[in-house]
Amino acid sequence: MPEPNSTAPTDGSATASDDVEPLDEPGGDPPGSDAPLRRLTPRQARRVRILLSAVVMLAVAIALVVRLGSAPSVLTVGFYGIALILSGAAIGLSRRGRTRVATGVLGLGFLLVLGGEWLLRG
């Protein structure tokens, strides 16, 4: 007998989909299985990008100090300075909710430093 608030057909012709929840649904995974990872909320994504930008900024600052200790150069300061500025811009963009743009800016800064280092050494 169907429950009073159920949406099952009352003629007794219940289908298989009425009783069984599909396994690809979020709540349909059996216990102990490898459930798909959940996506980040926008707030979590902003926090991750801000943290990542801060870590990159710290790494660039340390690399700048090391490079200046070994071979002081205006170009080195320029490349690393631009990377620091772009990391700061990525933090600002992340705070405003532009996490994808911030990731692109952060990647661009990282590639800029790598390319500049390669050009300086070559």
Side-chain angles (χ1 to χ4, degrees):
M1 171 139 195
E3 295 178 11
N5 293 333
S6 73
T7 58
T10 56
D11 62 356
S13 62
T15 62
S17 64
D18 292 336
D19 297 332
V20 178
E21 190 171 297
L23 288 179
D24 59 345
E25 293 293 322
D29 293 328
S33 71
D34 292 329
L37 297 175
R38 295 184 194 187
R39 294 181 63 136
L40 294 175
T41 65
R43 176 173 282 187
Q44 289 171 332
R46 284 192 300 268
R47 287 181 180 167
V48 167
R49 296 312 193 294
I50 289 170
L51 181 64
L52 181 65
S53 297
V55 168
V56 168
M57 187 180 272
L58 182 64
V60 167
I62 291 170
L64 174 62
V65 170
V66 169
R67 287 283 291 153
L68 285 177
S70 65
S73 166
V74 174
L75 286 175
T76 301
V77 173
F79 281 125
Y80 283 92
I82 289 171
L84 287 170
I85 290 169
L86 289 175
S87 296
I91 290 173
L93 287 167
S94 294
R95 286 185 178 160
R96 289 177 181 83
R98 302 289 182 203
T99 56
R100 290 181 184 150
V101 176
T103 302
V105 168
L106 193 60
L108 176 68
F110 186 70
L111 290 176
L112 179 70
V113 169
L114 287 179
E117 281 288 322
W118 181 72
L119 287 174
L120 286 176
R121 289 181 190 219

